[in-house]
Amino acid sequence: MQIIHFLSDYSLQFLLTMAVSYILGSLSFSIIFTRLFSHADVRTMGSGNAGFTNVLRCVGVIPSILTFVFDFLKAVLSIFLATLIFNHLVFNGMKSFLILEIMQYLAGIFCILGHMYPCFFNFKGGKGVITVAGTMLFIDYRIFIAAFIVFIAVFLISKIISLSSISAAISLPISTFLITFFLDFLPNTNNPNSNYSVGYIIVACISFIIISLIVVAKHKSNIQRIIKGEEKKISVKK
């Protein structure tokens, strides 16, 4: 009940976290760098997706690297700012790890949504894979490593970025549960001061279920091409 009251009392701070994260996510660097390097809109090129892979195929290595780095960092910055907002709240004696976790996941989710539906670019953005990676790494590097292993394994077999990304996204809720339950919760069940409660597991798993669903849904056209055997393998514009 104390947490529910806290969420209600500080709803403006939560809204601020979501708004700032969405705005940062809306900075679509694939569009920005493609315009700088080729004076074109990446959404009219190749697959039409405003993302790292399409920039790599249609524009070149340097703009794709810049896209990767900045799309990654905007997620990290969103979560960092959410943490700053959390640290400056008035807690009345309660500084909850669970509240921090909720704010960080909200920041990550809304940054991802901003990337996919950017307000600065007519709500037509990318598929969020790099931004999701930044979110995972900042919140829990172990989940990032697990997803990265899945991504690399599928990519080495298929050479298809979209299939690798979808596979990694699907693995997120599974690896999140296994890590939070077996590595965090169980070893601390007898520790009354532990931050790793059932609520911690629920928040983490629900958050990554949401992230997984929106990433997979955004790859709908890729899934259709994969089923038909028409999805292109990775290639690079020189």
Side-chain angles (χ1 to χ4, degrees):
M1 290 300 295
Q2 192 177 16
I3 290 176
I4 293 174
H5 289 151
F6 183 90
L7 293 173
S8 175
D9 291 342
Y10 294 98
S11 57
L12 287 177
Q13 284 85 351
F14 278 84
L15 289 173
L16 177 62
T17 296
M18 291 183 282
V20 169
S21 299
Y22 174 77
I23 290 170
L24 282 172
S26 291
L27 297 172
S28 186
F29 290 103
S30 61
I31 299 174
I32 293 169
F33 287 121
T34 298
R35 287 180 178 175
L36 287 174
F37 279 83
S38 68
H39 308 290
D41 189 333
V42 70
R43 295 170 296 181
T44 65
M45 306 166 72
S47 66
N49 179 52
F52 158 78
T53 305
N54 201 32
V55 175
L56 181 64
R57 286 191 178 120
C58 301
V59 188
V61 174
I62 293 176
S64 70
I65 291 173
L66 290 171
T67 297
F68 183 100
V69 171
F70 281 87
D71 278 347
F72 190 94
L73 289 178
K74 69 185 180 185
V76 173
L77 180 59
S78 295
I79 299 168
F80 176 74
L81 291 176
T83 305
L84 287 183
I85 293 171
F86 169 84
N87 287 333
H88 285 84
L89 292 179
V90 178
F91 289 96
N92 298 322
M94 185 186 79
K95 194 166 185 177
S96 171
F97 176 79
L98 186 59
I99 295 296
L100 173 60
E101 184 189 24
I102 292 170
M103 290 187 72
Q104 288 180 334
Y105 278 116
L106 280 176
I109 289 169
F110 275 83
C111 185
I112 294 163
L113 289 173
H115 178 87
M116 293 178 173
Y117 307 101
C119 59
F120 303 124
F121 300 100
N122 299 317
F123 301 98
K124 185 180 179 183
K127 295 178 180 176
V129 174
I130 305 302
T131 309
V132 170
T135 300
M136 288 187 294
L137 183 61
F138 198 93
I139 291 178
D140 193 328
Y141 72 92
R142 301 168 302 175
I143 296 172
F144 171 84
I145 292 172
F148 184 72
I149 291 171
V150 172
F151 179 93
I152 291 298
V154 176
F155 180 74
L156 289 175
I157 295 169
S158 68
K159 301 297 189 296
I160 299 174
I161 289 285
S162 60
L163 179 60
S164 307
S165 301
I166 293 164
S167 301
I170 291 172
S171 75
L172 285 177
I174 300 169
S175 59
T176 300
F177 173 76
L178 293 175
I179 288 169
T180 57
F181 183 77
F182 288 103
L183 298 184
D184 295 336
F185 178 73
L186 281 185
N188 290 281
T189 51
N190 296 321
N191 180 3
N193 298 316
S194 173
N195 291 320
Y196 303 122
S197 62
V198 173
Y200 157 77
I201 299 172
I202 292 172
V203 168
C205 289
I206 289 177
S207 298
F208 275 115
I209 287 171
I210 293 170
I211 290 172
S212 177
L213 287 174
I214 59 179
V215 170
V216 172
K218 194 68 173 175
H219 282 81
K220 180 180 177 181
S221 60
N222 301 89
I223 293 171
Q224 293 172 342
R225 289 194 296 270
I226 290 168
I227 292 172
K228 294 177 182 178
E230 299 172 353
E231 186 74 334
K232 294 180 180 179
K233 296 184 179 182
I234 192 66
S235 61
V236 180
K237 179 180 175 65
K238 300 295 184 181

